[in-house]
Amino acid sequence: MTKTPTKTEYITCEHDYPSYKWLLSLCSKQHTYLKKQDKVLKKLEARLVDYHEAHTDCLEKNQELLKDHIEITRAYNGLHHMGKFAEEQGIDVKKHNKKLPEHYQFEQKHTLLESGRVQHIYKIKKKKKDGEQK
């Protein structure tokens, strides 16, 4: 069963033009409809502003996370390459690994150079005991 489209009956005068009364009622209905749409648009605009603020906040947090991730990845890559280099030189890393935390302080710094390369700086210092001086 198909629905037949409803046809609007126009109230016309003797010259087959719409009457002023019908035009006024149509204008009134359109005005009411536009007012309702304006209210809906204002609500949607308020929600859009809220979403925009939340989205901006998420973007800032994602940028911070991305920077942290890149820094961690660089540090890991530097350590990995340093470990491979040490093994190639014949140094047993696992043998000395147990000694580092008790007696040495390990620091690392990774800097992105203008050329696009990453500079890795590693420092190993002997920890000072409470009674020791320089």
Side-chain angles (χ1 to χ4, degrees), residues 11-120:
I11 302 171
T12 59
C13 64
E14 59 209 38
H15 304 293
D16 285 336
Y17 290 117
S19 69
Y20 288 114
K21 183 177 181 182
W22 184 82
L23 287 174
L24 285 174
S25 70
L26 178 65
C27 186
S28 175
K29 288 177 186 177
Q30 286 179 337
H31 183 70
T32 305
Y33 177 77
L34 288 174
K35 280 185 174 180
K36 288 179 184 176
Q37 291 299 318
D38 191 41
K39 288 179 183 177
V40 169
L41 285 174
K42 285 182 181 178
K43 288 180 184 177
L44 288 175
E45 181 183 11
R47 286 177 55 191
L48 183 64
V49 168
D50 292 340
Y51 290 148
H52 179 71
E53 289 173 359
H55 177 71
T56 304
D57 185 46
C58 287
L59 285 176
E60 291 171 0
K61 289 180 181 178
N62 282 343
Q63 289 294 330
E64 291 174 13
L65 288 173
L66 182 63
K67 287 179 184 176
D68 291 342
H69 173 73
I70 290 172
E71 183 179 340
I72 289 169
T73 304
R74 284 187 185 136
Y76 174 79
N77 285 339
L79 286 172
H80 176 72
H81 290 294
M82 185 174 156
K84 283 175 62 176
F85 179 73
E87 287 177 358
E88 289 172 1
Q89 296 297 319
I91 300 171
D92 186 11
V93 177
K94 292 180 182 179
K95 175 183 167 188
H96 298 285
N97 194 20
K98 294 177 184 176
K99 298 178 183 177
L100 282 176
E102 292 87 25
H103 303 290
Y104 295 94
Q105 180 181 358
F106 180 74
E107 295 178 12
Q108 59 181 344
K109 182 180 177 185
H110 308 279
T111 308
L112 179 64
L113 303 175
E114 289 180 4
S115 63
R117 297 187 68 194
V118 180
Q119 179 183 25
H120 304 284

